[in-house]
Amino acid sequence: MTDYGILSLLPVAVVIVLVFFTKRTAVSLLVGTLVGAVMLYGTGFAKPWLDVVYGVMGSDLWIWLVLVCGFFGSLVALFEASGGIHGFTAIAAKVCKGEKRTLVASWILGIVTFVDDWLSILSVGTAMRRATDRFHIPREMLAFLSNATATSICVIVPTSTWGVFMISQLVATDVCTSEAGMSTFVQVLPFLFYPLVALLCGFLYSVGILPKIGPMRKAYALAKEQTAPVEESPVHESGKKPHALNFLLPIVLVTVVTILTREILYGTLLCLVFCALLYLPQKLLTPGQFLDTAMSGFKSMIGVLAIVTCAFMLRDINSLLGMPEFVIGAAKAAMSPQVLPVAAFLIVTVLAVAAGNFWGICAIAFPVIIPIAQALDANVLLTAGAIISATAAGSHLCFFGSEATLACSATQIENVRYAQTATPMLIVPVVASVLLYLAAGFLIG
């Protein structure tokens, strides 16, 4: 097998350069996969590259993503068409009397919908978009805040989809038994420095204690120059006043079903049925309009799915090039018990951003880094916390990842705008986490 070494990073570098020049995320990712395929197979790259495409699109995970993402799109379209979003916005308008209250309300909504990061991102983006527009808050800020809050809270809560996955990694790498999975995760919680700091920073940015920096400040300046949107009529086209419960009840149902079943797909599917039972008797939509709206919402997520699919293809190409192994191997020689936690945080963050796949990188990192921690007699729980934190950081920093893409879709901005505005804001929690893991490594590692 060819050792590509540092050249294994070339496809990712191509993607990043192209995105900022073309502003087209999916196309840039696709070109990155082609560059990797040419490196792997030369002029005969076409068939092996198509095999990667078929492998991604034929996987159970991809099919799951299509269904969940599409159903989310259907739900958002139905919330809009039923007037549920308008009803919620009307209530939010009574509470959100300015920029700070609006952003804090968005932050709180992101925390309340803790069960899944996609649910949190889409709920905040769709529900608060009009409120932020009203106070000239740039949508880039809403995209940043929704993503920064969603993954952070999901990583911290053991009963969320992220929490359950992380517990499975602790068990799979023999950090604990399956019976002790929950209690061990609770012990790791104090070492989840990045999501804890990112949540705090989200609040501090919201209330203005931390200033908006870089391109985000420019986005604020541009938003201030725009004309305030005209207040929409509070009357639904059916002649009825929109009710916030038409938004809130389905969101509660998705949350409860997902907690009980540990499967967001069941929650979204059942929620679609519930919306039909909720909206049709109120005559907010006819059966034909309901189906047309659901289908239109599903189709509206095709752009998101294209980006996520290409990111998965890039992940597989990177794996064939040996990129994760190269990065981890290059750092192994320099590791000591004291620096292992901070090294793990930085390495896994870089890998997660480069691959655009967070649980996948986490699943690769755990069985590689945890044995190193055990061999060096380092603090295993601290090291595990660093890996989990890095996975969250990667989901925030990777502008073509599924979470950032959904945040951009919900707030209706381009991925490149998210990259330009959110990255400088995320430097604060990243740097704080690096310092905390470095200090903890020497104090308790």
Side-chain angles (χ1 to χ4, degrees), residues 54-353:
Y54 295 148
V56 168
M57 299 183 73
S59 67
D60 291 342
L61 177 58
W62 186 82
I63 295 170
W64 179 89
L65 283 169
V66 169
L67 292 175
V68 172
C69 197
F71 288 162
F72 265 128
S74 296
L75 287 174
V76 171
L78 289 169
F79 295 159
E80 292 272 3
S82 69
I85 292 292
H86 297 272
F88 182 86
T89 302
I91 292 177
K94 298 176 182 177
V95 178
C96 304
K97 296 298 185 181
E99 177 189 335
K100 292 181 181 179
R101 285 192 179 186
T102 301
L103 290 176
V104 170
S106 303
W107 182 78
I108 292 173
L109 180 59
I111 291 176
V112 170
T113 50
F114 64 84
V115 68
D116 183 79
D117 53 338
W118 284 22
L119 174 63
S120 178
I121 289 168
L122 288 170
S123 298
V124 173
T126 55
M128 301 304 295
R129 193 171 62 230
R130 288 185 180 84
T132 52
D133 286 350
R134 197 149 91 2
F135 294 107
H136 300 283
I137 300 169
R139 292 186 176 183
E140 291 87 345
M141 182 63 190
L142 183 60
F144 157 75
L145 186 62
S146 63
N147 192 21
T149 305
T151 307
S152 297
I153 191 63
C154 287
V155 168
I156 293 169
V157 176
T159 55
S160 72
T161 50
W162 278 69
V164 171
F165 174 77
M166 295 307 171
I167 290 173
S168 73
Q169 295 306 299
L170 294 172
V171 173
T173 51
D174 295 325
V175 174
C176 62
T177 62
S178 57
E179 294 79 8
M182 183 68 74
S183 60
T184 303
F185 185 82
V186 171
Q187 294 178 55
V188 174
L189 281 178
F191 302 131
L192 299 180
F193 296 145
Y194 177 82
L196 291 169
V197 174
L199 267 183
L200 175 61
C201 286
F203 177 78
L204 296 178
Y205 280 128
S206 298
V207 298
I209 293 176
L210 283 178
K212 286 74 176 179
I213 57 177
M216 188 66 81
R217 180 182 294 178
K218 295 179 180 178
Y220 262 87
L222 289 174
K224 296 294 184 187
E225 295 173 1
Q226 294 174 355
T227 304
V230 178
E231 292 294 328
E232 299 181 10
S233 171
V235 179
H236 186 260
E237 62 181 22
S238 65
K240 299 179 181 180
K241 182 179 179 181
H243 289 292
L245 288 178
N246 287 328
F247 169 71
L248 294 174
L249 288 179
I251 290 296
V252 170
L253 179 68
V254 171
T255 302
V256 171
V257 172
T258 303
I259 291 175
L260 294 177
T261 65
R262 301 277 192 258
E263 176 55 76
I264 189 68
L265 179 58
Y266 299 155
T268 53
L269 183 57
L270 187 59
C271 190
L272 282 171
V273 176
F274 176 73
C275 284
L277 297 175
L278 184 64
Y279 299 158
L280 296 182
Q282 297 181 63
K283 297 183 178 179
L284 297 173
L285 298 167
T286 66
Q289 289 173 331
F290 183 93
L291 292 174
D292 289 344
T293 301
M295 185 58 68
S296 175
F298 198 105
K299 290 190 293 187
S300 72
M301 302 302 281
I302 289 177
V304 174
L305 289 169
I307 293 174
V308 173
T309 300
C310 291
F312 272 62
M313 291 165 56
L314 183 64
R315 172 205 64 187
D316 289 354
I317 292 291
N318 285 336
S319 180
L320 291 170
L321 288 169
M323 186 268 286
E325 291 78 4
F326 164 72
V327 175
I328 292 175
K332 268 185 182 179
M335 288 187 183
S336 67
Q338 291 76 25
V339 301
L340 179 60
V342 68
F345 175 75
L346 289 171
I347 291 168
V348 177
T349 297
V350 169
L351 288 175
V353 172

Side-chain angles (χ1 to χ4, degrees), residues 25-69:
T25 306
V27 172
S28 301
L29 286 166
L30 200 61
V31 172
T33 65
L34 289 169
V35 169
V38 171
M39 291 173 62
L40 286 163
Y41 307 109
T43 55
F45 72 91
K47 186 180 183 303
W49 180 80
L50 285 174
D51 288 340
V52 171
V53 177
Y54 295 148
V56 168
M57 299 183 73
S59 67
D60 291 342
L61 177 58
W62 186 82
I63 295 170
W64 179 89
L65 283 169
V66 169
L67 292 175
V68 172
C69 197

Side-chain angles (χ1 to χ4, degrees), residues 352-366:
V353 172
N357 180 263
F358 317 115
W359 286 13
I361 290 298
C362 185
I364 292 172
F366 255 99

